[in-house]
Amino acid sequence: MASSSSSTEAGVVAERRGIPGAQFVEDVQTYLNQSGLDVNSALAFLQESNDVPVPVLLDRLQQYKVVEMKLLAQQRDLQAKIPDIEKCLDVVATLQAKKGTGEALITDFEVSEGIYSRARIEDTDSVCLWLGANVMLEYSCEEATALLQKNLDNAKASLEVLVADLQFLRDQVTITQVTIARVYNWDVHQRRVRQAAGVAIES
């Protein structure tokens, strides 16, 4: 399966096919110290365009959701495309099997959406394939079979890559959600500690 990804020295996947990897913050205090940020800065930054605070982690989470919607749309398209290609391969194989038998092939074909007509197909050496963009070309049955099989293999390979991309993306969403929760919980804990220390000093 072809995919492009890069890794950090620690072996953590930094990205996959343009999808950035999420950083898991195991120790919030260490993370803040190393990055030189406070909690608010870690969770938000000022956009250079309009200086409006934007939650960094929440913004990244939203970006992941947008990418997920696009990948799911591509997955649906491929899942619909693969059966169509397989049906075309079956039709060409049936035409080749009927060739030379002297037996005509009786079939119904779609003229328009919901409108079908019956056709009698005698021996044929070629078929016409829609290539998209209102383009149709005539191929020999052998050429059509080779082209359709190639398209089928490419579609299945693309679907396999998309499934892996979606799994990677969902892992990053989970990591980001956990990181957001850890940072917020750490901040709440620190506030309670400071509050308790203040009460102890006053008393």
Side-chain angles (χ1 to χ4, degrees), residues 70-185:
K70 293 180 179 178
L71 292 180
L72 287 174
Q74 295 176 23
Q75 184 184 43
R76 287 192 296 269
D77 290 342
L78 285 173
Q79 288 174 335
K81 181 179 181 180
I82 289 174
D84 288 342
I85 298 176
E86 291 173 338
K87 288 178 184 177
C88 290
L89 277 169
D90 290 341
V91 170
V92 175
T94 301
L95 290 174
Q96 288 180 301
K98 290 286 186 179
K99 184 179 178 181
T101 63
E103 180 183 354
L105 176 64
I106 307 299
T107 183
D108 294 331
F109 67 95
E110 190 175 17
V111 179
S112 183
E113 185 175 357
I115 301 176
Y116 292 83
S117 179
R118 179 153 295 183
R120 178 185 178 89
I121 303 175
E122 305 292 346
D123 282 356
T124 180
D125 295 321
S126 63
V127 295
C128 294
L129 299 179
W130 283 109
L131 302 182
N134 294 323
V135 176
M136 176 184 282
L137 288 180
E138 184 176 4
Y139 294 89
S140 68
C141 290
E142 292 75 14
E143 291 174 335
T145 299
L147 177 61
L148 289 169
Q149 188 60 54
K150 179 181 178 181
N151 290 345
L152 180 61
D153 293 340
N154 290 340
K156 287 183 176 180
S158 297
L159 181 59
E160 186 178 352
V161 171
L162 272 176
V163 170
D165 287 347
L166 281 167
Q167 183 57 55
F168 174 80
L169 185 61
R170 286 163 182 159
D171 289 343
Q172 307 320 300
V173 169
T174 300
I175 292 172
T176 303
Q177 290 172 333
V178 170
T179 299
I180 290 172
R182 289 176 65 85
V183 173
Y184 272 121
N185 290 341

Side-chain angles (χ1 to χ4, degrees), residues 37-105:
L37 300 173
D38 57 21
V39 173
N40 292 331
S41 298
L43 292 173
F45 73 102
L46 296 180
Q47 290 183 332
E48 295 179 357
S49 58
N50 52 15
D51 292 338
V52 177
V54 177
V56 176
L57 295 173
L58 294 177
D59 187 51
R60 173 57 61 86
L61 190 61
Q62 183 62 33
Q63 291 173 0
Y64 283 145
K65 293 296 185 181
V66 171
V67 174
E68 183 180 27
M69 289 176 61
K70 293 180 179 178
L71 292 180
L72 287 174
Q74 295 176 23
Q75 184 184 43
R76 287 192 296 269
D77 290 342
L78 285 173
Q79 288 174 335
K81 181 179 181 180
I82 289 174
D84 288 342
I85 298 176
E86 291 173 338
K87 288 178 184 177
C88 290
L89 277 169
D90 290 341
V91 170
V92 175
T94 301
L95 290 174
Q96 288 180 301
K98 290 286 186 179
K99 184 179 178 181
T101 63
E103 180 183 354
L105 176 64

